[in-house]
Amino acid sequence: MKKLINRRRFLQGSLVASAAAAFPLAKNTAAANFEGYPDSMGVLVDLSRCVGCRSCEAACNKEQNLPAPEKPFNDFSVFDELSHGQKRRTDETRYTVVNRHDIPGLKHPLFRKIQCNHCLEPACLTSCFVNAYTKTPEGAVIYDASVCVGCRTCMIACPFNIPAFRYSSAFDPKIMKCIFCYDTRLVKGLPPACVEACPQEVMTFGRRTDLLEMGRQRIRENPDAYVDHIYGENEAGGTAWMYLSPVPFEQVEFNTAVPKEPILNYVKDFLSIVPMVLTIWPALFTGIHLLATKKEKMEQQKKSEGSES
Amino acid sequence: MKAPHRTLLVAVALLLAGTSPGHGQAMDEYDAPTTVTIDSLSELYEPVIFSHVRHTKLARCKDCHHHTTGHQDMNPNCVRCHLHSPESQTVSCKDCHTRQQFYPEQVSELGNPNIYHIDKPGLKGAYHLNCIPCHVEKNAPSHCEGCHAMTDAGREFFRLTDKTPGTAKDKDSRVR
């Protein structure tokens, strides 16, 4: 009889614990509606304006104290460089690169600048198990290199292939990427170095909400000059850096397969049950196991006692 | 007795007309300076000595000055408000297009719902966005140093001073 009460109490206790675990789960689901910090900043990149002068690359290099490049920044032979069949990408020495794209039927090539798009709900941040990444209210996705263990999960999580790994250092490996000039400029309300350096005003810096309005106005007033889409308005749940293009985005090698909702949403249901599984299940099943085997043990004990006597 | 009065009135009217032109009156090339030295942005590149007189032969006033010289701009977006705009008090680029762009004051000003020109380029953007397409079209110089020579600060900025310059083969040869 006593045993039965114990089991009932135990089951009641585990139910309460499950309910407690389910409560933060409900909270997590509410976060699916997060639409970014209000008044967060962004940049609208207009591909029709870029002439490929690489001033942005030079400005980034200077602002972030990056190492000297192999070729100076006014050497345009870099546009012909291919590595493993791919155009240049961001790495530990360059947080932004400009690539040339020859578009069939267009008299001149288009140039596309790549850097971190500073997602509203960054996949890199979600994937990082040491919480090295932070999305700041100003809009930047920054990271704390001192806690990074170099697992490179964020490199796989990022839908835009932006975080780069410092392979050159065996003892201080860390992830490196564009930080929106967060510490030197964005906190003071100033535009990032690349935006300021651009002669063509390819990049417009402002509140993300204002930029969307500007983008829509440019499309509305010049319907022949742009495709009717702002890349980054909804891609990956919305990004702080957004793009306008005169040709369909896939022609400029944008990843148009990026889902419209945050990458986080695809793993959230799974991730939210991980703490429950890790904390409650071991206790629950150990308890059940102990209870189920207690009778056997007692019988064994009785037997051994009986055989002794 | 009445006659001198009338001439005086006419003279005053003419004077007034001369100082504040009304509708239908517009500036022409003879009102413009021969050269303009564009130096307010020079840092990485030398100032540009801009031959205004030469450019008046190649382009219309409104191609650069929009509606400000009193020539109506026929862009349908501008006509909505500027169909009868007279000559402005100032026609200088830098008086509308600011040298500093995207600074906090400008960003917060965009919250004002009464502003139509929410997407006005800064001074540097205005020059390049307006000059380069025309230079390309008319086969005028369209690479950076075709208009302004690089300064020492510029050479440092583009990392030309680090070591021997890279292959000059493709340098500045792109066409847009």
Side-chain angles (χ1 to χ4, degrees):
Chain A
M1 195 62 195
K2 216 178 178 184
K3 206 196 292 174
L4 199 76
I5 290 163
N6 276 350
R7 176 182 286 173
R8 186 173 291 159
R9 273 201 190 141
F10 174 75
L11 288 175
Q12 277 173 342
S14 60
L15 264 175
V16 170
S18 302
F23 183 68
L25 193 140
K27 239 182 173 174
N28 281 352
T29 339
N33 300 324
F34 180 70
E35 285 174 0
Y37 289 104
D39 283 350
S40 73
M41 307 303 281
V43 173
L44 182 68
V45 186
D46 189 333
L47 298 188
S48 70
R49 290 183 177 184
C50 185
V51 293
C53 72
R54 300 184 68 211
S55 296
C56 51
E57 288 188 44
C60 178
N61 179 282
K62 187 182 174 192
E63 181 78 17
Q64 300 296 330
N65 296 313
L66 294 170
E70 269 177 45
K71 295 172 182 172
F73 286 108
N74 66 342
D75 187 333
F76 301 109
S77 65
V78 295
F79 293 138
D80 298 318
E81 281 176 14
L82 285 179
S83 162
H84 304 290
Q86 302 278 311
K87 290 191 160 70
R88 299 190 311 146
R89 58 156 291 175
T90 53
D91 67 22
E92 61 190 88
T93 62
R94 48 194 190 198
Y95 297 162
T96 184
V97 292
V98 179
N99 281 321
R100 187 189 63 216
H101 297 266
D102 296 305
I103 312 292
L106 214 63
K107 269 190 278 174
H108 54 80
L110 289 180
F111 296 91
R112 175 189 164 198
K113 178 186 183 296
I114 307 171
Q115 75 299 308
C116 174
N117 285 332
H118 300 276
C119 303
L120 303 186
E121 279 197 78
C124 54
L125 182 152
T126 321
S127 73
C128 182
F129 74 94
V130 292
N131 273 339
Y133 284 93
T134 310
K135 174 77 179 175
T136 76
E138 296 88 352
V141 178
I142 56 169
Y143 56 94
D144 178 359
S146 67
V147 299
C148 177
V149 294
C151 75
R152 287 166 278 168
T153 314
C154 52
M155 292 174 71
I156 297 169
C158 176
F160 306 110
N161 299 322
I162 291 304
F165 191 66
R166 191 157 78 173
Y167 288 105
S168 62
S169 170
F171 298 105
D172 188 19
K174 60 174 183 178
I175 287 289
M176 304 184 83
K177 72 165 196 73
C178 157
I179 54 164
F180 213 146
C181 292
Y182 177 72
D183 47 347
T184 51
R185 288 164 164 269
L186 194 62
V187 281
K188 298 172 197 157
L190 301 179
C194 53
V195 171
E196 200 168 81
C198 180
Q200 284 279 94
E201 215 168 283
V202 171
M203 292 159 277
T204 305
F205 170 77
R207 278 185 295 240
R208 190 175 180 271
T209 44
D210 292 338
L211 295 178
L212 281 168
E213 217 163 294
M214 279 182 210
R216 291 199 195 98
Q217 182 177 288
R218 276 192 211 171
I219 295 171
R220 190 172 60 242
E221 293 183 354
N222 312 281
D224 300 331
Y226 301 103
V227 292
D228 188 9
H229 183 69
I230 302 175
Y231 188 95
E233 179 176 7
N234 298 309
E235 275 76 6
T239 55
W241 280 61
M242 299 173 288
Y243 297 83
L244 290 176
S245 170
V247 299
F249 282 94
E250 53 271 18
Q251 289 189 24
V252 212
E253 290 178 39
F254 276 83
N255 183 358
T256 47
V258 171
K260 295 281 181 281
E261 52 180 314
I263 309 297
L264 170 63
N265 286 7
Y266 292 85
V267 290
K268 188 158 31 185
D269 293 343
F270 166 72
L271 287 177
S272 60
I273 62 165
V274 169
M276 193 182 76
V277 169
L278 289 182
T279 55
I280 296 168
W281 282 23
L284 184 69
F285 290 121
T286 310
I288 289 171
H289 173 76
L290 286 175
L291 285 168
T293 55
K294 198 172 184 183
K295 205 176 171 185
E296 277 174 42
K297 269 185 188 166
M298 280 172 81
E299 272 169 10
Q300 261 182 353
Q301 218 172 2
K302 261 183 196 170
K303 259 185 199 173
S304 60
E305 271 170 14
S307 65
E308 263 173 35
S309 58
Chain B
M1 193 67 191
K2 267 182 182 174
H5 263 285
R6 202 174 294 149
T7 45
L8 199 68
L9 272 172
V10 169
V12 166
L14 277 173
L15 257 173
L16 282 171
T19 50
S20 60
H23 290 228
Q25 274 188 304
M27 283 182 153
D28 58 33
E29 59 191 88
Y30 305 107
D31 299 322
T34 326
T35 58
V36 180
T37 305
I38 302 170
D39 57 357
S40 65
L41 295 160
S42 57
E43 183 195 339
L44 306 177
Y45 294 94
E46 302 285 354
V48 175
I49 316 287
F50 175 78
S51 170
H52 194 281
V53 77
R54 194 167 160 205
H55 284 83
T56 54
K57 309 271 190 297
L58 298 160
R60 297 159 299 178
C61 300
K62 68 173 189 181
D63 290 338
C64 299
H65 291 283
H66 318 295
H67 59 83
T68 59
T69 49
H71 298 87
Q72 271 68 49
D73 197 320
M74 286 305 132
N75 182 323
N77 284 321
C78 309
V79 160
R80 278 164 28 202
C81 296
H82 293 295
L83 184 57
H84 301 296
S85 286
E87 176 192 317
S88 308
Q89 296 217 314
T90 174
V91 295
S92 177
C93 308
K94 65 176 185 295
D95 289 335
C96 290
H97 298 279
T98 49
R99 194 181 161 277
Q100 285 200 318
Q101 177 76 329
F102 311 130
Y103 273 61
E105 319 77 71
Q106 290 159 297
V107 168
S108 56
E109 203 186 49
L110 287 179
N112 181 352
N114 296 323
I115 293 184
Y116 172 76
H117 289 289
I118 59 168
D119 195 11
K120 187 173 65 183
L123 188 58
K124 182 166 62 171
Y127 284 136
H128 291 99
L129 286 170
N130 206 48
C131 298
I132 293 177
C134 198
H135 272 229
V136 169
E137 194 186 307
K138 295 190 189 307
N139 275 326
S142 60
H143 58 285
C144 309
E145 294 191 77
C147 292
H148 37 43
M150 203 182 271
T151 61
D152 286 341
R155 273 184 281 278
E156 206 173 304
F157 179 77
F158 283 98
R159 305 297 289 250
L160 283 156
T161 46
D162 298 328
K163 43 189 171 181
T164 47
T167 48
K169 188 176 57 157
D170 294 300
K171 210 191 269 185
D172 244 2
S173 62
R174 77 198 177 285
V175 185
R176 219 214 107 173

